[in-house]
Amino acid sequence: RWKNWWVRGILTLAMITFFFIIIYLGPMVLMTIVMCVQIKCFHEIITIGYNVYHSYDLPWFRTLSWYFLLCVNYFFYGETVTDYFFTLVQREEPLRILSKYHRFISFALYLTGFCMFVLSLVKKHYRLQFYMFGWTHVTLLIVVTQSHLIIHNLFEGMIWFIVPISCVICNDIMAYMFGFFFGRTPLIKLSPKKTWEGFIGGFFSTVLFGLLLSYVMSGYRCFTCPVEFNNDTNSFTVDCEPSELFQLQEYNIPVVLQSVVGWKTVRMYPFQIHSIALSTFASLIGPFGGFFASGFKRAFKIKDFANTIPGHGGIMDRFDCQYLMATFVNVYIASFIRGPNPSKLIQQFLTLRPDQQLHIFNTLKAHLVDRGIL
């Protein structure tokens, strides 16, 4: 028991150190790491499918699985490039053509794989081949879609990438620590080692950690500014005037708590309030991603997704909660944070024909005159 504790502890510290290093190296390295993690997670889940269904001899299926991964990544990352590197895409003729017909090309690539699958069907393997076809597509839905959302969160500002991931890591560590030393009451049958003591201790620790980490990071533009591509230098920039989310404001403490803390007001960043929502989700709902993974492993009688990390299992064992968190953060930003982006609207406006630009200009001018702004 203690040997496993030390192995997990040392490797956890090593992974946290690696996490800090890739953050220091910048957005491009982070995106590359996300892509590598996605590919490894896909490999682990697909390999389980091959082992469970003994499908190594299926004609062309291993090749088709990776082909579909390539197609889906081409579609999602092509959409991202078109969205965030619009000016660069319009400037280069080959990229402009690829961007214009991107969805058609993506569909044609997928359709080619679909036809290849149908042509590979063999009478004695029909059911098995369709099992693996479904397995591949569910894996793509879980892994590729979520990693795509992680990239989108990163472009909103590194703080939207780092804080949620750190909260999940903190919750995982603190729930394990509280469960290891104080755990007595089983939490869920899918994970017999999970306890209520660990679950509750992890929740309070994660909320506190989220507030502190958000306070520290909110003061640095390199974390709070959106990641944008500078066409002049052909590099990423993270420099801007901080939004209201990252400017200290004074808040009144509820009367009930004033006698306890001894303060009437507190100065904090608005983002810290949002961090409470993020850390609460990471603590209360995020673990269900792990429970889901535990149920999946129990269904197919395996201990871990792989043996990549001693004491931790596979990469997917470490990222089962992260993917659920990525979806929540993306939905949260779209629902409560993100507004219209003037720079993107102007970029699209400049690609229109002159008569269309003139029509929009006259419409906008008439609207501003009616409102008394002009």
Side-chain angles (χ1 to χ4, degrees):
R1 184 169 179 254
W2 280 98
K3 180 182 178 181
N4 185 57
W5 191 89
W6 280 108
V7 171
R8 286 177 65 97
I10 292 170
L11 286 170
T12 297
L13 289 174
M15 287 188 287
I16 291 173
T17 303
F18 177 70
F19 181 57
F20 281 124
I21 291 172
I22 61 174
I23 289 171
Y24 174 77
L25 293 175
M28 201 66 193
V29 175
L30 280 172
M31 284 185 273
T32 304
I33 294 296
V34 170
M35 171 66 83
C36 293
V37 167
Q38 176 216 115
I39 293 172
K40 181 57 180 172
C41 290
F42 179 82
H43 173 258
E44 290 178 358
I45 299 175
I46 286 296
T47 300
I48 291 172
Y50 289 141
N51 292 333
V52 168
Y53 292 111
H54 307 289
S55 53
Y56 287 102
D57 297 327
L58 289 182
W60 290 101
F61 209 86
R62 188 179 288 271
T63 302
L64 281 172
S65 296
W66 289 99
Y67 176 80
F68 281 125
L69 176 67
L70 177 65
C71 291
V72 176
N73 270 308
Y74 176 81
F75 170 72
F76 278 122
Y77 281 90
E79 293 281 308
T80 300
V81 168
T82 301
D83 193 24
Y84 288 98
F85 308 99
F86 187 83
T87 306
L88 175 64
V89 169
Q90 293 299 315
R91 193 173 60 194
E92 303 292 335
E93 183 65 20
L95 291 177
R96 190 166 61 83
I97 294 173
L98 287 173
S99 173
K100 183 177 181 180
Y101 301 106
H102 172 69
R103 295 196 176 186
F104 180 80
I105 294 171
S106 301
F107 178 71
L109 288 172
Y110 178 82
L111 203 59
T112 301
F114 179 82
C115 293
M116 289 168 63
F117 167 72
V118 174
L119 292 173
S120 71
L121 290 172
V122 178
K123 187 174 182 180
K124 63 178 180 179
H125 292 309
Y126 283 160
R127 181 177 295 181
L128 189 55
Q129 286 179 290
F130 277 101
Y131 278 155
M132 290 307 300
F133 185 78
W135 186 287
T136 299
H137 281 68
V138 171
T139 304
L140 291 171
L141 177 65
I142 293 173
V143 175
V144 182
T145 306
Q146 310 309 314
S147 63
H148 175 69
L149 295 180
I150 290 176
I151 297 295
H152 272 248
N153 297 341
L154 175 61
F155 275 109
E156 293 295 329
M158 289 182 68
I159 196 168
W160 290 104
F161 174 86
I162 297 171
V163 169
I165 286 181
S166 299
C167 284
V168 172
I169 294 172
C170 174
N171 181 254
D172 191 43
I173 293 172
M174 297 310 297
Y176 177 78
M177 296 288 286
F178 275 93
F180 186 88
F181 290 106
F182 308 109
R184 297 290 183 274
T185 313
L187 175 63
I188 187 170
K189 291 182 179 180
L190 283 173
S191 297
K193 294 182 180 180
K194 305 288 185 182
T195 63
W196 275 105
E197 290 81 2
F199 187 74
I200 296 170
F203 166 70
F204 286 108
S205 301
T206 304
V207 172
L208 179 61
F209 171 79
L211 283 169
L212 294 175
L213 180 63
S214 299
Y215 180 82
V216 173
M217 294 186 67
S218 293
Y220 295 91
R221 293 188 181 188
C222 60
F223 295 128
T224 60
C225 291
V227 178
E228 296 179 344
F229 187 78
N230 189 314
N231 294 289
D232 297 326
T233 61
N234 287 329
S235 61
F236 289 101
T237 59
V238 282
D239 188 28
C240 66
E241 189 64 33
S243 68
E244 292 183 357
L245 280 178
F246 307 107
Q247 295 178 15
L248 281 170
Q249 296 185 23
E250 197 167 273
Y251 293 91
N252 293 320
I253 295 176
V255 179
V256 179
L257 298 176
Q258 287 181 12
S259 58
V260 178
V261 298
W263 306 327
K264 291 185 178 181
T265 62
V266 62
R267 283 175 62 80
M268 60 189 299
Y269 295 101
F271 180 80
Q272 288 181 272
I273 298 174
H274 294 292
S275 77
I276 295 175
L278 299 178
S279 56
T280 298
F281 183 91
S283 305
L284 301 184
I285 308 299
F288 280 84
F291 301 152
F292 178 86
S294 297
F296 178 86
K297 289 182 283 188
R298 285 181 172 275
F300 296 104
K301 299 179 181 178
I302 55 175
K303 184 177 184 297
D304 295 309
F305 282 94
N307 298 313
T308 309
I309 311 170
H312 289 269
I315 298 295
M316 191 63 197
D317 289 286
R318 293 298 91 213
F319 283 85
D320 46 14
C321 300
Q322 296 288 6
Y323 284 132
L324 195 61
M325 188 72 192
T327 305
F328 172 74
V329 174
N330 192 268
V331 171
Y332 189 88
I333 292 173
S335 301
F336 304 109
I337 305 298
R338 186 191 296 129
N341 190 325
S343 62
K344 288 185 180 179
L345 292 175
I346 292 173
Q347 287 176 351
Q348 293 175 351
F349 176 79
L350 294 175
T351 61
L352 299 175
R353 297 193 312 269
D355 61 310
Q356 294 174 322
Q357 293 179 359
L358 190 60
H359 174 70
I360 293 175
F361 171 76
N362 290 328
T363 303
L364 181 60
K365 181 181 178 181
H367 175 71
L368 294 175
V369 169
D370 288 342
R371 293 180 60 187
I373 298 175
L374 284 180

